Amino acid sequence: MNKASFEKVIPPEGSSFKAFYFKAPFMPYGGRWHFHPEFEIVYLPSGKGRRFIGTKISQFTDGDLVLLGPNIPHNCFNVGFESDNYEEYVIQFNGEDIKEASKFFKEFNGIGELLTKAQAGLSVNNKEKHIIGEEIKQMINLPPLEKLLKLFKVLRQFAEVSYESLHARQYLSLSVVNTGRVKEIYDIIQNNYQTNISTRQVAEKIGMTESSFCRFFVKSTGKTFKQAVTEVRIQNACNLLVNSDASIGTIAFDCGFNSLSLFNRLFKRNIDDTPNSYRQKYINHVQVSFPKIA
């Protein structure tokens, strides 16, 4: 089973964010289904294919430029790539400081609004994506300060062009103050979502009373623990519906649902589609193999 793995983003020494480039055949992350609390910009200079982001599968042509908000589960972009000569530019950064700066510096207002909209993922589908892409390409080998200034320019350009929402969903909306503890809780969910995990069990693991834990979780994420577990189960079910030939019943039970009718009802509520319709919508067009990650 392919669970979404937590990616720890470590910026290079002297820098507050990470920017890197790679191309085939060197693919450092394989086809991993993952998430991270940082914002991420991905630029593909050329080619066509499909994006696997959250519960959505969407298409791109003539390269791609996307901005993903925190904690949106997604595959590496080489998965679903249908052209030759794959290459990718990636920027991963903490946008909360930038959003905070927009409260004090008017110059950041448009960027703050952009990052708010990016919570569901954004893509640029016209020729302007390559204009921004050229700025991203220049960023890779710059010294840290010049690289940071270039990031501000890239975000400003992104905010000024026409973009569209990818309508992706986060796993959890994290409070900046409580990010560390909520990550710990999320790790517990991710490792136990196939079981009948309870608030009492999680509260004990992190050293809180059950009532305190429930209040903390709702305050930090804006949702109940039960809602969060259901979302994680549904996200993993979406992944399996498209990327495995297991029956819908098997997937339902493998993802922690104790009845098929409950799975169908909650899937429809969260995805606005039935499991079978969702699978048929994509399975005939997507053939994905997930390499094992050591």
Side-chain angles (χ1 to χ4, degrees):
M1 175 166 297
N2 301 296
K3 298 180 180 179
S5 59
F6 173 75
E7 177 183 328
K8 186 174 179 60
V9 175
I10 303 176
E13 185 175 355
S15 182
S16 60
F17 69 100
K18 187 175 182 180
F20 57 98
Y21 161 80
F22 59 85
K23 64 179 180 179
F26 175 65
M27 306 300 294
Y29 300 109
R32 190 174 46 158
W33 179 243
H34 65 287
F35 71 102
H36 43 75
E38 290 77 15
F39 285 80
E40 178 170 288
I41 297 174
V42 177
Y43 174 59
L44 308 183
S46 63
K48 66 177 182 177
R50 290 177 172 82
R51 317 177 188 96
F52 295 77
I53 300 173
T55 59
K56 302 293 183 180
I57 300 174
S58 52
Q59 295 181 312
F60 63 88
T61 58
D62 185 31
D64 201 17
L65 175 64
V66 301
L67 171 58
L68 302 181
N71 300 302
I72 297 177
H74 57 283
N75 270 335
C76 298
F77 278 61
N78 61 300
V79 175
F81 191 71
E82 300 172 357
S83 302
D84 297 325
N85 304 318
Y86 183 85
E87 59 178 327
E88 177 180 1
Y89 293 83
V90 181
I91 305 168
Q92 296 168 323
F93 62 97
N94 183 343
E96 296 303 328
D97 292 338
I98 298 175
K99 290 170 69 175
E100 187 68 17
S102 67
K103 298 178 181 178
F104 307 100
F105 299 98
K106 294 182 179 179
E107 294 82 355
F108 283 83
N109 285 347
I111 296 176
E113 294 172 7
L114 172 75
L115 296 181
T116 297
K117 293 178 180 178
Q119 302 295 327
L122 302 172
S123 68
V124 178
N125 297 318
N126 51 43
K127 63 181 181 181
E128 291 171 316
K129 63 186 170 187
H130 296 302
I131 296 174
I132 300 174
E134 287 302 315
E135 299 290 342
I136 294 172
K137 291 165 80 171
Q138 295 172 25
M139 180 189 299
I140 300 303
N141 295 317
L142 291 175
L145 179 57
E146 285 82 351
K147 188 178 294 185
L148 177 63
L149 296 175
K150 183 71 75 171
L151 173 61
F152 292 154
K153 182 175 182 180
V154 166
L155 290 173
R156 166 55 69 183
Q157 288 180 315
F158 210 120
E160 293 177 343
V161 302
S162 175
Y163 51 75
E164 63 182 45
S165 175
L166 295 174
H167 301 291
R169 298 184 182 183
Q170 298 167 296
Y171 268 122
L172 298 173
S173 301
L174 304 185
S175 159
V176 177
V177 175
N178 297 317
T179 296
R181 175 161 279 188
V182 176
K183 281 183 189 175
E184 181 183 359
I185 297 168
Y186 177 80
D187 286 340
I188 296 172
I189 296 174
Q190 191 59 246
N191 290 326
N192 296 277
Y193 70 86
Q194 296 160 290
T195 69
N196 189 26
I197 184 172
S198 69
T199 53
R200 179 182 57 79
Q201 291 171 314
V202 178
E204 289 178 354
K205 285 179 180 288
I206 65 172
M208 298 178 72
T209 66
E210 185 173 6
S211 58
S212 296
F213 167 72
C214 291
R215 288 194 299 271
F216 165 80
F217 194 81
V218 170
K219 183 177 181 180
S220 299
T221 69
K223 64 190 72 174
T224 66
F225 179 75
K226 184 177 180 180
Q227 288 173 322
V229 173
T230 296
E231 288 179 359
V232 171
R233 288 171 172 167
I234 293 294
Q235 293 273 9
N236 281 279
C238 287
N239 188 27
L240 290 173
L241 284 168
V242 174
N243 299 306
S244 81
D245 58 2
S247 69
I248 291 176
T250 297
I251 290 173
F253 287 103
D254 282 349
C255 289
F257 296 96
N258 55 21
S259 77
L260 183 57
S261 61
L262 176 65
F263 172 61
N264 286 331
R265 184 167 68 252
L266 292 177
F267 193 96
K268 175 70 173 178
R269 181 185 301 170
N270 281 267
I271 306 302
D272 197 29
D273 205 352
T274 66
N276 185 60
S277 175
Y278 181 89
R279 166 173 268 179
Q280 294 306 316
K281 189 179 298 181
Y282 299 121
I283 197 68
N284 294 327
H285 305 287
V286 181
Q287 297 295 327
V288 180
S289 60
F290 287 78
K292 293 183 178 180
I293 306 299

